[in-house]
Structure formats: C-alpha cells, structure tokens
Amino acid sequence: MRARQSGRAPGLPAAPRSPGERSPGEVFAVLDPATGEVFGEAVDQRPDELDAVIRGAGEAWRHWRADPDARTAALFAAADAVEAAAADLAPLLTREQGKPLAESHHEVARTAARLRFFAESAPQSLQPQPIEDGRPVRSEIHWRSLGPVAAIVPWNFPLQLASAKFAPALAAGNTVVLKPSPHTPLATRLLGSVLSAVLPEGVLTIVTGREPLGARLAAHPGIRHVTFTGSVPTGRAVARGAADSLARVTLELGGNDAAVLLDDVEVEEVADRLFWSAFRNCGQVCMAVKRVYAPARLYSDVVEALAQRAKATVVGAGLDPGTQLGPVNNATQLARVEDCTSRALADGARAAAGGHRLDRPGYFFAPTVLADVPADSPVVTEEQFGPVLPVLPYRDLDEALDAANNTGFGLGGSAWGTDLDRAEEAAGRLECGTAWINHHAELSLAQPFAGTKDSGVGVAGGPWGLHGNLRPFVVHRPREERPEGGR
C-alpha cells in the first residue's frame, strides 16, 4: 500500500474533441522556458476523477491519523528519500521552471529540510495541553487532524511550496491531494514517485491537469482544508469554492514588497543583497523586493549601483553552469512583464538597465532597473513578478513609509541603514507580515509566514502552520476527590 499519483496516461489522444471535453489518457505539453519548446507531457486529469482520489484520501486518513509514531518515522524516511533523489529532481525542476540548477538543488534541499523539521517538531506540538483556570475540573486541549487537505501550488517554487503545504498537513495527521501548476507538473510528479516508497497509499496523491481541475478540487465536499498560493483573484475564487463545504482555507496571495533605504545607508555595502532580494528566481518570488524607495540625496547612486549589477548578470538557460538568472517561466507571464515595463517607459520612466525582452529563443527578459518611474505606474502599484525593479526617490522618511504602505498587499518589507535601531523603527511602521532590516526575503522553517490585506489569509510555517492543519478537542473531567485521611 503506497502513496500514489492519480491518472497515468499512455499518450496523446488521436481524435479531436469538443472544447472543454477530455478523454481518459489525455495529456498536455510541458514547455522548457529556456527554449519555449515542448520537452515533456503530463496527464490532463478530468475533474470527475477527483471523487475517487478524495475518497481514497479519506480512507487513508483513518489509518494515518491513528499512529503518530508511524507518521514521524515515515516523514523522516521521506526527507531522506528526497535528498537521495536530488540528482534527478533538480535538473527536471530547472527544465520546467527555468531557475539555475544550483537554485533547484537548494529547493530540493529545502523540501527535505521541511519534512524533517515537522517530523521533529510535531510530536511535541501535538501533546495535550492542560488548561489552568481555577475550576474544580481537569481540562486538556487535545489536537485532532482535519481530514483530506487540498494543496494547490504555483509554478515559481513547485517543490518548496508543495512541501510547505503537505509537510505540516501530513505531520498533523491529515492526508493531502496536491495539484501543481500545469506549467511545472513534472518535478512534482517525480517527487510523488519518490515519496511513494515511504508513504502509505492515499496519504499523498498528486493530480495534474488544467482548469477546472483546481477549482473542482478546492470546492470538493470531501476536502476539509484548502491551502493555496497564487494570485488574489484566484485566491478569492478558491475561498468562494471552499465556502459551500465550510472547509478551512489558507491563502498566500503574493506581495508588492517595498525596500526603504534610509539616508545613512551605505549603498555599495548593501547593493548586492538588495539586487538579489529583487531578482532571485528572475523576480518570481512572492516576497521579493518589488519597489525601492531611496533618499533623494542617494538616488542616483542607488540607481547606478543596481543598474551595474543588472547589466553584469549572466542570463541564460538554468542548466548552463554560468547562468545567474534564468528565463521567465511562461509566455503569459513574460507578456505581463513586457506590458508593465513598456507602460512605465511610455509614461516617462527611464531604463537604467534592460527594459526589453532578449532576442533569443525562450522567455528571456533583460534584468531591468527603472528610474524616474511615475508613482501610479502599474510596475509600482501592482506585483510585476519578473526581473523588473522600479526605484523611486523620496525627500522625507514619513513620505517613503506612506508610499510603501500605499498598496493592497502586505506580505513583506524591509528597511536598510547603518543605524540599526533607526532602521528597525522604520521597519516597524511597515504594514506587512514580515519586516527585515538590511536584508529581505529570508525565512526560517521555525517562523510564521503570513500577510496582511490582500496578501492572504492564515499562517504558514513553524508550529503555526502545523496548528493550521489541526482542530482543538477539549476534554473535561472532574478532579478526583480523595476520602478524608486517604492517601
């Protein structure tokens, strides 16, 4: 009895079908963003297949939730299995996602580390907790799992974000149905195969396919918790779908993180960290720096320092050893990056570096630093999610912090300066879930990760992420009264 991947298919369908109709065994193409060409295919599962998948997850849950020691052993074994498969997982991840191979290896390592973290921490977190309230009863909080969990994962960190959802859910005693993005299904399916050797059947099931598969999964009455990472409009749709069955939702919906540079910042000292906080994974990071506010006195220096690094960055296929920055993941996202950049330039912005698509096959966009950007440009007000960074000047710190907070998002933010107390005070005024000082977008497995405003609902990470997959069960019993003179 092993974990499974649902819906294996032998090949492409031979006969045409009406729009929206799918036949058993249909597949869809997976493109290499470094070439724009097909390099693989994945099963395009029908939404009506979910009934059997979720029924299997419900059946597996009865056994999985009952033996915490077996769960712990299985999660440790899963971490070991992922590490052992890194040489196969990382190149496949790079082929479908585009990131440099070293970053793919880091993502695989993070996946294993998260499994191990929850295997180690869950047993203690799940211990009954006494309630001391002065009443003549003994009260304890016990923790119970929820049931089958739906995990819907985007294409920027397919394995790392998948493990951020399934590792705490499994450690809590739930089972998981995991759906990766149609742009990046292959490494996730391989991960499912790797884990099938150590997890019981039905505990973790991978389903792949195009819409409406994800919408049907989120709304399925057999799902008790939906955890989703993606855009705000899709997140709202997920929440509406889950509402009918009153399933719990955890939504991580992106950000428009601001980096505020104080007037005592040493530009050259922080420039590398600031640049890569914005451009890592080609800017396709929810908590990347997406806007920089620089004091007017240092504005030209900041723009020039970032532009120099953008021009020197080696852009290429992720499998090439010298590559520092890969392609944008898909054609739709590339078009969005092109559009927001061209609109900014048309409105008077200046490209201090880049500003255009690269003339080569694949979805490559030059690392771009924009100066003199109108504050109401979409590249400032929206989440561009690509290798484009606007830099805006300010004359007063209050003005900069107001501008940083003037967004519907509230995921992360940072303050940069020499006086750490002053920088921390500025960071404390940012309206977001996580604030950093002199760095950005670094998280440990032990800390909570959550946003405010449109950046999401619920908490991931650490014991908070674990308890997001649990419900409290309170037990009361009278305290034993000993007879007078008794022992």
Side-chain angles (χ1 to χ4, degrees):
M1 300 280 287
R2 294 296 178 198
R4 63 178 179 173
Q5 297 190 52
S6 175
R8 303 185 182 274
L12 289 165
R17 290 170 300 282
S18 60
E21 182 184 351
R22 302 183 196 176
S23 296
E26 185 174 352
V27 300
F28 61 92
V30 180
L31 306 184
D32 182 340
T35 64
E37 297 178 351
V38 175
F39 86 99
E41 58 186 28
V43 180
D44 196 14
Q45 292 178 247
R46 301 191 314 271
D48 59 17
E49 295 178 55
L50 289 174
D51 290 342
V53 169
I54 295 170
R55 184 166 56 250
E59 293 168 354
W61 174 53
R62 296 188 183 94
H63 303 287
W64 181 250
R65 66 181 175 177
D67 193 340
D69 291 338
R71 288 201 308 270
T72 297
L75 291 176
F76 276 122
D80 292 342
V82 171
E83 287 177 337
D88 296 320
L89 285 166
L92 183 58
L93 176 58
T94 288
R95 285 294 303 276
E96 65 178 354
Q97 202 284 328
K99 65 186 62 180
L101 184 58
E103 293 184 21
S104 290
H105 274 287
H106 177 77
E107 184 166 342
V108 173
R110 185 80 164 183
T111 299
R114 201 180 300 271
L115 283 161
R116 193 167 285 117
F117 173 85
F118 283 104
E120 292 171 347
S121 62
Q124 181 61 37
S125 296
L126 293 175
Q127 291 297 312
Q129 300 173 6
I131 302 172
E132 300 296 341
D133 54 10
R135 300 171 65 229
V137 295
R138 189 182 73 193
S139 304
E140 283 186 334
I141 303 174
H142 296 248
W143 296 101
R144 290 188 169 181
S145 57
L146 303 174
V149 172
I152 303 174
V153 180
W155 43 259
N156 57 332
F157 289 93
L159 302 187
Q160 186 168 315
L161 289 175
S163 67
K165 299 178 186 307
F166 69 67
L170 296 179
N174 303 294
T175 54
V176 177
V177 180
L178 169 64
K179 180 196 172 295
S181 165
H183 294 297
T184 52
L186 301 181
T188 307
R189 289 188 67 85
L190 179 56
L191 177 67
S193 294
V194 168
L195 296 179
S196 70
V198 294
L199 297 179
E201 183 176 4
V203 166
L204 174 64
T205 305
I206 314 297
V207 295
T208 57
R210 295 169 290 187
E211 286 306 312
L213 185 67
R216 194 74 59 85
L217 175 60
H220 197 283
I223 293 295
R224 302 314 312 147
H225 179 199
V226 183
T227 174
F228 167 83
T229 300
S231 71
V232 173
T234 305
R236 290 191 173 117
V238 165
R240 285 192 295 269
D244 283 345
S245 60
L246 296 179
R248 186 178 298 182
V249 293
T250 300
L251 307 174
E252 195 277 280
L253 304 180
N256 190 8
D257 290 15
V260 178
L261 277 56
L262 276 60
D263 56 12
D264 65 345
V265 71
E266 294 289 344
V267 175
E268 281 300 321
E269 183 177 321
V270 304
D272 281 341
R273 270 174 283 150
L274 181 60
F275 178 83
W276 287 110
S277 294
F279 286 89
R280 184 172 67 92
N281 199 31
C282 207
Q284 299 165 135
V285 183
C286 60
M287 56 181 174
V289 170
K290 298 186 174 73
R291 300 170 287 155
V292 172
Y293 292 92
R297 180 178 65 84
L298 300 173
Y299 183 70
S300 295
D301 294 340
V302 172
V303 170
E304 180 59 25
L306 293 172
Q308 286 179 358
R309 285 155 178 80
K311 293 172 184 177
T313 297
V314 179
V315 180
L319 292 179
D320 292 345
T323 291
Q324 295 175 288
L325 204 68
V328 176
N329 175 258
N330 58 79
T332 300
Q333 186 59 28
L334 177 63
R336 174 177 171 78
V337 172
E338 283 188 290
D339 178 66
C340 71
T341 303
S342 62
R343 290 173 66 181
L345 294 172
D347 289 339
R350 171 175 62 89
H356 54 85
R357 181 174 178 172
L358 296 180
D359 186 16
R360 64 177 78 168
Y363 307 135
F364 291 98
F365 199 85
T368 296
V369 175
L370 296 177
D372 307 325
V373 188
D376 60 352
S377 174
V379 78
V380 176
T381 61
E382 300 175 9
E383 184 181 29
Q384 67 270 37
F385 218 65
V388 180
L389 181 64
V391 185
L392 299 99
Y394 73 86
R395 298 192 177 279
D396 177 81
L397 181 58
D398 290 338
E399 165 199 331
L401 293 171
D402 286 345
N405 292 330
N406 186 25
T407 174
F409 293 101
L411 194 60
S414 54
W416 304 66
T418 302
D419 184 334
L420 295 184
D421 290 337
R422 185 165 171 255
E424 184 173 355
E425 181 182 2
R429 294 170 61 186
L430 294 172
E431 297 171 359
C432 56
T434 304
W436 295 270
I437 296 146
N438 288 346
H439 64 128
H440 197 106
E442 296 178 20
L443 294 173
S444 80
L445 297 176
Q447 72 186 67
F449 180 56
T452 63
K453 299 186 276 190
D454 283 350
S455 283
V457 175
V459 183
W464 302 270
L466 180 72
H467 281 89
N469 287 279
L470 294 162
R471 63 178 178 86
F473 176 71
V474 181
V475 177
H476 300 263
R477 61 172 289 175
R479 296 189 184 275
E480 294 184 15
E481 296 184 5
R482 298 186 183 277
E484 187 174 345
R487 296 194 176 189

